Amino acid sequence: MAALFEAYTLCGLLSSPSLSNSGIQGIEEERDSDHVIVTDSNRCVTLYKVSDQKPLGSWTVKQGNCLTCPAVYNTHAKEYVTVTDNTVIRIWKEEDVALDKTFKATVSSNIWRVHCVVGGDPVVLFQRGAVRLLDSLLSAPQQPIEEVLAPDETIRWSTNIVAETQQFVIFTTEQKGDHFLYLQKLNPNTLQKYRLEREDSGLFPLSFSASCRDKLIYLLYLYPNGHVYQSVISLRGLGSDQGIQTIPLPRNLLLELSVEGRLDAASALHLDEAHIAVIGVPHPSAGAGKDYLCIWNISFQTLQAGKEMAGKIFGQLWSYSSKLFIPHGKTLSVIPYGCVKSSLASALGKLKHAKTEESRPPVCVQSWSNILHGERAQPSRTMETRKLRTTRRTQSTPNLTVEQVLELITTTSADKVQKEVEVLFSRTDTQDLHQWVGQLASALVCRSMADTAFYTPTTLAQLVQTRHLCYSVCPDLVQLALEKKDYFLCQLCLQFFPDIPEAVTCTCLKAFTSIPDTDAEKVNLEPDSVSFMETLASRVHGQVGFQNGFSSTSSKEDHSDASVTTAEEKNSAQLEPICPVGLHKAVLLNEILQTAYSDDLLLPHLKDLSSQHVFLFLQYLQFLYQKYNQAAFPQEHGCRSPSLTQIMNWMCLLLDAHFTVLVMSTEAKNLVENLYRYINAQVKLFSELGKMGGTLQELQNAKINKDMGKYSIEVIELF
């Protein structure tokens, strides 16, 4: 059996949907299953962490250069390798910033691809069919490169595999309507050429895929008429290179997919020995004009899973670590999948889901006629007795499958759904439940938005706390929480979702600043964040002095006589900064401060905030700043809390977005003046520290006179 799980967006596409390509040259797995390298069709290579959907690094070649090969990662040297302008090999490390300043070597012939698999060394495939190990090529970049292909023969596809300890390069070519497969063995070098059978209609293959197991290479290729073929090549009979001989390569028809007309952009890919993924082919049960991603069982020729793909399909498909990467429309989507070993009964949908040993009913013997035609076998007396007990479905029905719970969500009451989901999470026989979390959350959100009487806050909070959800998987969850005024769920989403858009962050900020303090105090929030605010609010600043360059008793002019303390100063020393919002409201605002954002994307949305919201938020930021500049730093308690840098960054962003309004507003005058004094005090402090830097350095370098008695006076002149 196989299943497709909830999709999420890794990144946007640079190309317009009107273009024929996605703008992506290739996707390669990096150091582990959670990192991939995406190479666009122009000038940029980007490293992504898949689980966070965030870029970790990006490298761009300068204007006038062009990437002509997808970047790969050399796990041995921990380096990235790509090719620009067909002949220039570029190598860099993750800490490098500019590609122009990294290593590059120009070779004597055009390169088709650089391939590198885990456990293998990088290999270079030239456009004329020659293959070199990268290390040997870089030892003499201008070495002559032989031409393996005929003058009118062109490479169409290539890959690199490792069988046991032996490395192979596989590539297909096209020459005057004929297609050939080359198998290049490395160390020792052996090249074998095969001729692919022609399709009767004269069609060319749309895609190729290769996998290796048991010293056999399985070549999968898809034609525009929906025919999926497989050819098998044995690695045992490869001998020494004694001239290239073309060998006919037989093929088997695996699937004959139903298509109308001809496929333009489609691809097929091996997932395991029994399953393949196909993109760009209509679903058998759907109408024409809709593109689907489908998983087929090739052993029994049955459709196992399908998902409609919105937008234009480009016929590109990659698979790494049980995840499918598919560019479509304006996005690059990641779709996790699962494949398990199938029997004929499970392929036909007749096999019941596995139960635990405690609750597994006696097995009924099924004949082939029962399986194929759906006839029921006669149950035993034990089965009949058990059926009487379970005829009436109750809350305690054991071991419901995820599919049954999803169906239950659409029809059953909120209390029953909540209990069934709790049972589902507590079961020990449920494997890879995290792959279903997105579907459960989406189903609950859809039902809640359609039926105002249905809402399961505890279940949704439990799903968010699994850390297997993100905003792109269930984008309506935050909006639902705001509509239901479920601020605890909002807090959890802000904590655990790494990809919340800046527009949603501002929506939450507007909602939080609008909550009456009395209503906010009734909300149960995350204990650590509440504990931090309680500690911060209860802290008493016993003595006012200069902390981080600012004193609450300082005025616009410096006081030269620090020994005189007036009664007014003594009274002001006892004044503590007062929090302008309630305790729980402050906790929610702290979550906003700790949410990831981009300055350029956040600023336009901040400008949509009203002056009242901005003024209140700035007052709160001022309160935090004053508290943080007291002697005991509040983050020492280890509770979840915003950093001083985050507070200052938000101050700057709000001032940038609403500077004119704040300057013109009379009620904001004192606030802006106070903020000016804070910044001015900071500048003065750092200026004075800068002046002392040279003196302190001289003291550190000064030679200490060791020949001193019990008492001595040493004069050090400071200039």
Side-chain angles (χ1 to χ4, degrees):
M1 296 295 291
L4 292 169
F5 303 109
E6 198 68 31
Y8 52 90
T9 299
L10 183 63
C11 63
L13 300 181
L14 299 177
S15 67
S16 168
S18 61
L19 298 179
S20 59
N21 63 76
S22 66
I24 294 180
Q25 280 198 63
I27 300 174
E28 298 286 338
E29 194 171 33
E30 201 231 21
R31 69 197 78 169
D32 54 38
S33 60
D34 199 28
H35 295 79
V36 294
I37 316 162
V38 179
T39 306
D40 68 29
S41 56
N42 192 13
R43 300 168 49 219
C44 187
V45 178
T46 307
L47 171 65
Y48 286 95
K49 185 175 182 181
V50 179
S51 59
D52 291 344
Q53 301 99 55
K54 294 288 185 181
L56 301 181
S58 182
W59 301 271
T60 306
V61 296
K62 66 181 181 180
Q63 193 77 27
N65 295 131
C66 184
L67 295 169
T68 53
C69 167
V72 298
Y73 184 70
N74 183 355
T75 54
H76 297 317
K78 294 181 173 54
E79 295 173 334
Y80 301 93
V81 184
T82 191
V83 177
T84 59
D85 304 320
N86 294 311
T87 57
V88 181
I89 298 175
R90 295 182 182 267
I91 302 175
W92 74 98
K93 293 183 178 293
E94 187 173 351
E95 58 267 20
D96 294 326
V97 178
L99 285 182
D100 296 332
K101 299 180 181 179
T102 58
F103 174 84
K104 61 181 179 179
T106 303
V107 297
S108 60
S109 183
N110 288 347
I111 295 173
W112 165 259
R113 286 287 186 275
V114 177
H115 290 290
C116 187
V117 295
V118 178
D121 297 318
V123 294
V124 180
L125 172 62
F126 289 88
Q127 291 184 7
R128 305 311 307 154
V131 176
R132 294 284 191 279
L133 287 170
L134 179 63
D135 290 343
S136 64
L137 179 62
L138 294 179
S139 64
Q142 289 298 313
Q143 61 184 273
I145 304 298
E146 69 276 11
E147 294 195 4
V148 177
L149 307 182
D152 57 348
E153 194 174 1
T154 306
I155 297 179
R156 297 301 183 193
W157 168 84
S158 64
T159 189
N160 182 27
I161 62 173
V162 174
E164 296 179 348
T165 58
Q166 186 64 57
Q167 198 166 355
F168 296 87
V169 176
I170 307 170
F171 59 96
T172 62
T173 63
E174 187 267 329
Q175 180 187 20
K176 296 180 180 179
D178 289 324
H179 283 79
F180 301 93
L181 174 73
Y182 288 82
L183 180 60
Q184 173 74 61
K185 180 182 177 182
L186 302 174
N187 292 330
N189 292 332
T190 302
L191 181 63
Q192 188 65 62
K193 181 179 180 181
Y194 300 89
R195 181 193 298 272
L196 275 64
E197 293 184 25
R198 275 200 176 197
E199 190 71 354
D200 294 338
S201 52
L203 299 174
F204 295 167
L206 288 174
S207 72
F208 291 93
S209 169
S211 62
C212 181
R213 59 182 181 273
D214 300 329
K215 292 190 176 181
L216 295 174
I217 292 178
Y218 294 85
L219 182 70
L220 185 76
Y221 38 110
L222 169 66
Y223 281 88
N225 57 4
H227 290 185
V228 181
Y229 293 95
Q230 179 174 270
S231 297
V232 182
I233 306 169
S234 175
L235 300 177
R236 293 183 176 88
L238 295 179
S240 59
D241 193 355
Q242 298 178 351
I244 301 177
Q245 296 180 349
T246 304
I247 302 173
L249 184 63
R251 66 183 185 183
N252 296 320
L253 180 63
L254 292 184
L255 289 174
E256 191 171 352
L257 303 175
S258 177
V259 298
E260 293 184 5
R262 294 286 184 263
L263 299 174
D264 294 326
S267 183
L269 191 68
H270 272 119
L271 301 181
D272 61 18
E273 60 185 59
H275 297 90
I276 66 170
V278 181
I279 184 70
V281 178
H283 192 284
S285 302
K290 294 183 178 180
D291 291 311
Y292 274 77
L293 168 67
C294 296
I295 295 182
W296 288 83
N297 186 310
I298 56 178
S299 299
F300 305 115
Q301 299 200 2
T302 55
L303 178 63
Q304 301 285 284
K307 183 183 290 291
E308 183 178 357
M309 306 304 297
K312 182 181 178 63
I313 293 293
F314 302 98
Q316 293 176 299
L317 181 63
W318 293 270
S319 175
Y320 298 107
S321 303
S322 297
K323 302 182 190 73
L324 294 170
F325 296 81
I326 306 168
H328 62 100
K330 297 182 179 181
T331 61
L332 172 62
S333 292
V334 182
I335 304 180
Y337 69 89
C339 296
V340 296
K341 192 173 182 180
S342 300
S343 64
L344 180 57
S346 62
L348 294 174
K350 303 295 182 180
L351 187 67
K352 300 294 183 184
H353 290 275
K355 311 273 186 174
T356 57
E357 290 296 329
E358 294 82 0
S359 61
R360 183 177 297 143
V363 178
C364 297
V365 178
Q366 299 276 3
S367 67
W368 285 105
S369 177
N370 299 146
I371 294 175
L372 294 175
H373 302 292
E375 297 173 10
R376 296 184 179 178
Q378 294 297 321
S380 65
R381 291 184 179 180
T382 309
M383 280 285 289
E384 291 175 352
T385 305
R386 187 180 296 269
K387 187 179 292 185
L388 289 175
R389 295 177 189 164
T390 58
T391 298
R392 203 180 311 152
R393 212 170 203 182
T394 63
Q395 299 285 356
S396 59
T397 302
N399 295 350
L400 288 182
T401 64
V402 178
E403 292 89 346
Q404 291 171 326
V405 174
L406 289 171
E407 184 179 352
L408 212 62
I409 290 173
T410 61
T411 57
T412 317
S413 65
D415 292 338
K416 187 170 184 178
V417 168
Q418 183 171 316
K419 290 181 180 179
E420 292 297 348
V421 174
E422 288 176 357
V423 171
L424 189 64
F425 270 85
S426 63
R427 275 170 39 193
T428 57
D429 63 330
T430 302
Q431 298 179 354
D432 298 327
L433 183 62
H434 67 276
Q435 297 177 335
W436 296 94
V437 166
Q439 291 191 19
L440 290 170
S442 298
L444 289 169
V445 170
C446 289
R447 172 80 187 277
S448 299
M449 298 184 79
D451 182 1
T452 56
F454 180 91
Y455 188 57
T456 55
T458 305
T459 303
L460 289 171
Q462 186 180 10
L463 292 173
V464 173
Q465 288 173 314
T466 62
R467 298 177 183 265
H468 296 303
L469 267 183
C470 59
Y471 180 86
S472 57
V473 168
C474 192
D476 294 327
L477 179 56
V478 179
Q479 185 61 39
L480 175 66
L482 290 174
E483 290 177 1
K484 298 290 186 180
K485 296 184 179 180
D486 188 349
Y487 298 115
F488 175 61
L489 183 58
C490 289
Q491 182 189 25
L492 293 179
C493 291
L494 291 171
Q495 285 185 12
F496 295 120
F497 286 1
D499 58 341
I500 292 183
E502 285 75 3
V504 177
T505 301
C506 284
T507 302
C508 292
L509 174 58
K510 189 182 299 184
F512 295 164
T513 52
S514 303
I515 308 170
D517 287 336
T518 54
D519 293 346
E521 295 306 312
K522 299 175 184 177
V523 180
N524 291 323
L525 298 175
E526 196 266 330
D528 278 352
S529 55
V530 175
S531 174
F532 164 75
M533 282 309 301
E534 289 175 343
T535 304
L536 190 67
S538 62
R539 186 187 308 279
V540 177
H541 192 171
Q543 183 177 1
V544 179
F546 280 94
Q547 303 293 342
N548 256 352
F550 173 72
S551 171
S552 59
T553 60
S554 64
S555 62
K556 296 179 183 178
E557 297 179 358
D558 294 335
H559 298 277
S560 58
D561 188 3
S563 63
V564 179
T565 305
T566 65
E568 181 181 354
E569 287 174 332
K570 290 180 180 179
N571 292 334
S572 64
Q574 305 302 320
L575 296 178
E576 282 291 314
I578 300 174
C579 184
V581 298
L583 184 69
H584 282 202
K585 194 170 181 176
V587 170
L588 294 173
L589 292 177
N590 287 347
E591 297 299 339
I592 296 291
L593 296 177
Q594 298 172 81
T595 303
Y597 63 87
S598 167
D599 292 4
D600 295 336
L601 298 177
L602 184 62
L603 264 176
H605 299 290
L606 285 178
K607 293 179 180 179
D608 294 334
L609 296 176
S610 67
S611 58
Q612 291 81 4
H613 292 145
V614 173
F615 184 64
L616 179 62
F617 196 27
L618 274 175
Q619 283 182 312
Y620 177 65
L621 292 175
Q622 176 189 352
F623 163 77
L624 286 181
Y625 180 86
Q626 290 178 284
K627 280 291 187 178
Y628 272 49
N629 281 306
Q630 292 179 357
F633 197 67
Q635 284 185 311
E636 292 176 356
H637 292 272
C639 299
R640 178 173 171 80
S641 58
S643 66
L644 183 60
T645 301
Q646 289 170 331
I647 296 170
M648 296 300 296
N649 288 342
W650 272 92
M651 274 189 182
C652 295
L653 285 169
L654 287 171
L655 290 172
D656 286 345
H658 293 270
F659 183 74
T660 304
V661 175
L662 291 170
V663 169
M664 300 297 292
S665 174
T666 55
E667 63 178 356
K669 181 180 179 181
N670 292 333
L671 175 63
V672 174
E673 288 180 348
N674 285 337
L675 293 176
Y676 169 75
R677 289 206 302 273
Y678 300 156
I679 301 303
N680 192 38
Q682 290 280 355
V683 172
K684 287 183 178 180
L685 172 65
F686 283 104
S687 176
E688 294 300 322
L689 290 175
K691 294 177 183 178
M692 295 174 58
T695 301
L696 296 175
Q697 187 66 36
E698 288 297 325
L699 288 175
Q700 185 177 4
N701 297 334
K703 295 181 179 179
I704 300 175
N705 186 6
K706 297 182 179 180
D707 299 331
M708 60 178 65
K710 294 181 179 180
Y711 175 79
S712 68
I713 298 176
E714 185 175 356
V715 178
I716 300 176
E717 295 184 4
L718 301 178
F719 298 96

